[in-house]
Amino acid sequence: GLNNIAVNVKRILDISRRLVTFSRVGDEPRARFAVDEAVEEALYVVRHEGLMPHVELRRQADAAAVVFGSIGQVREIFLNLLVNAVQAMDGRGTLQVATRRVGDNVEVTVADSGPGVPEALRSRIFEPFFTTKAAGEGTGLGLSVVHGIVKAHEGAIQVVSQPGHGTTFHLYLPSA
């Protein structure tokens, strides 16, 4: 019973930390910035945490991919997508991150070589507290936070996945 309590207290603390971090980021002023700056900062954090020692990173950047918004919030998008991708691959595989300007939008794709998300679950992955991870391993807040930030920036996000062939998130933000 005590072990169960300890696990649940850890989950509550993790959820609280994420919510506090998210609320602080939301206070920063909006400005023009290169999306690749937010991507690189998120990649730095993931590397610094030691989550990618056996992950091959394929990166494409586009200097013309500039948006108007909160760089901290956009960085949080990429941090969540990258951590999910690396965890889905169990720390081994190929991670592709590509940024490009497409007309009036900036598109960022984050693709992993993990097991993919079953079709029956794809429609729920942006719901708060929904997770495909084992009990105690995920809060189910990451992709919900991502979805909220994307909407707050008047963007869109799509997921494409095929079981056994990985998952790709397509993020679209209006170009500045």
Side-chain angles (χ1 to χ4, degrees):
L2 291 175
N3 190 31
N4 190 24
I5 291 171
V7 167
N8 285 312
V9 167
K10 183 182 179 301
R11 287 187 69 225
I12 291 169
L13 289 173
D14 186 40
I15 291 168
S16 298
R17 254 187 247 110
R18 283 178 169 227
L19 291 172
V20 168
T21 300
F22 178 66
S23 67
R24 284 190 196 135
V25 169
D27 291 341
E28 73 182 0
R30 291 184 175 220
R32 286 173 50 99
F33 65 92
V35 169
D36 286 316
E37 184 180 339
V39 171
E40 290 302 325
E41 288 174 2
L43 280 167
Y44 175 80
V45 171
V46 174
R47 285 184 186 119
H48 184 73
E49 292 292 320
L51 299 175
M52 294 180 51
H54 305 290
V55 174
E56 176 190 350
L57 175 65
R58 295 181 185 162
R59 179 80 175 93
Q60 292 178 315
D62 182 353
V66 176
V67 298
F68 182 83
S70 164
I71 190 169
Q73 287 184 356
V74 173
R75 181 178 48 242
E76 183 73 14
I77 290 171
F78 299 125
L79 189 56
N80 278 305
L81 292 178
L82 295 170
V83 167
N84 278 0
V86 171
Q87 288 176 344
M89 297 185 296
D90 289 326
R92 297 184 179 282
T94 302
L95 177 63
Q96 298 178 41
V97 182
T99 306
R100 65 187 183 128
R101 182 164 177 188
V102 181
D104 292 337
N105 291 299
V106 169
E107 177 186 22
V108 182
T109 57
V110 177
D112 67 59
S113 62
V117 179
E119 186 175 349
L121 301 180
R122 267 182 254 151
S123 64
R124 298 192 58 207
I125 63 172
F126 295 113
E127 291 177 13
F129 303 106
F130 177 79
T131 182
T132 59
K133 296 174 185 168
E137 289 186 21
T139 62
L141 287 177
L143 291 178
S144 176
V145 167
V146 164
H147 190 262
I149 295 170
V150 169
K151 292 296 181 191
H153 283 77
E154 299 177 8
I157 188 165
Q158 299 173 333
V159 61
V160 177
S161 186
Q162 186 176 5
H165 298 284
T167 301
T168 302
F169 284 90
H170 296 272
L171 169 68
Y172 303 93
L173 296 172
S175 182

